[in-house]
Amino acid sequence: MNLFDKVSEDIKDAMRAKDKVRLEALRGAKKEFIEAKTSKEGHGELEDDTAIKILQKMVKQRKDSAEIYVSQNRQDLAEKELAEVAVLEGYLPKQLTAEELEAKLKAIITQVGASGPADMGKVMGVATKELAGLAAGRAISETVKKLLS
């Protein structure tokens, strides 16, 4: 079962359970999936890797919104956003820990023969492809920068 079908089934389960937060988060995800499927690039299909990228984007947007709500003393809205983040993260692959990320990046640095900060572009090109979905882009770039300096 692909991610689109899983989300569709889980929407039905959330409706039966009357779980409003889960239902709202999953409906938002399904809306984004349908838009991606029907776009010119989608060709009527939605691959799981594209769906994961969509979910990652949605999680990042909700985390950013939660930060803004907290800074404006709107804890109620921030909690709603973070609850949706928890639902959406359940559909994403397990993220690498800082130690695992550093180990994988050291291997990539050795593989491409990078020796200093000038080689960051080479490392990032390979790292973002190999670690897509397993770590946030910001975490990857910060760790690469630290390792190369």
Side-chain angles (χ1 to χ4, degrees), residues 108-120:
I108 291 170
I109 288 170
T110 305
Q111 172 190 335
V112 298
S115 59
D119 297 324
M120 186 163 174

Side-chain angles (χ1 to χ4, degrees), residues 62 65-70 72-84:
R62 280 162 179 72
S65 296
E67 281 181 32
I68 292 169
Y69 289 141
V70 167
Q72 296 175 350
N73 292 326
R74 292 299 310 265
Q75 196 61 36
D76 55 325
L77 296 174
E79 288 172 6
K80 178 185 172 291
E81 294 289 333
L82 292 174
E84 287 189 18

Side-chain angles (χ1 to χ4, degrees), residues 99-118:
E99 294 80 24
E100 294 169 330
L101 177 62
E102 194 167 318
K104 288 193 181 284
L105 287 173
K106 282 180 182 175
I108 291 170
I109 288 170
T110 305
Q111 172 190 335
V112 298
S115 59

Side-chain angles (χ1 to χ4, degrees), residues 3-120:
L3 209 46
F4 180 82
D5 295 334
K6 177 140 179 58
V7 167
S8 297
E9 286 300 313
D10 289 349
I11 285 174
K12 294 175 193 173
D13 294 339
M15 288 169 72
R16 287 185 200 111
K18 295 181 177 28
D19 186 346
K20 290 182 181 179
V21 173
R22 185 172 190 76
L23 181 61
E24 193 170 320
L26 293 176
R27 279 183 173 162
K30 187 171 181 180
K31 173 192 154 294
E32 294 288 333
F33 289 170
I34 290 171
E35 286 178 6
K37 265 178 110 167
T38 58
S39 72
K40 288 181 181 177
E41 299 86 33
H43 307 294
E45 294 294 319
L46 181 70
E47 300 295 324
D48 276 353
D49 60 335
T50 306
I52 288 171
K53 287 178 186 171
I54 291 169
L55 288 174
Q56 287 174 326
K57 178 181 158 200
M58 292 176 69
V59 165
K60 183 181 183 318
Q61 287 171 337
R62 280 162 179 72
K63 284 181 178 179
D64 291 345
S65 296
E67 281 181 32
I68 292 169
Y69 289 141
V70 167
S71 71
Q72 296 175 350
N73 292 326
R74 292 299 310 265
Q75 196 61 36
D76 55 325
L77 296 174
E79 288 172 6
K80 178 185 172 291
E81 294 289 333
L82 292 174
E84 287 189 18
V85 165
V87 170
L88 295 173
E89 283 180 335
Y91 294 89
L92 292 173
K94 182 185 171 289
Q95 299 290 296
L96 295 174
T97 65
E99 294 80 24
E100 294 169 330
L101 177 62
E102 194 167 318
K104 288 193 181 284
L105 287 173
K106 282 180 182 175
I108 291 170
I109 288 170
T110 305
Q111 172 190 335
V112 298
S115 59
D119 297 324
M120 186 163 174

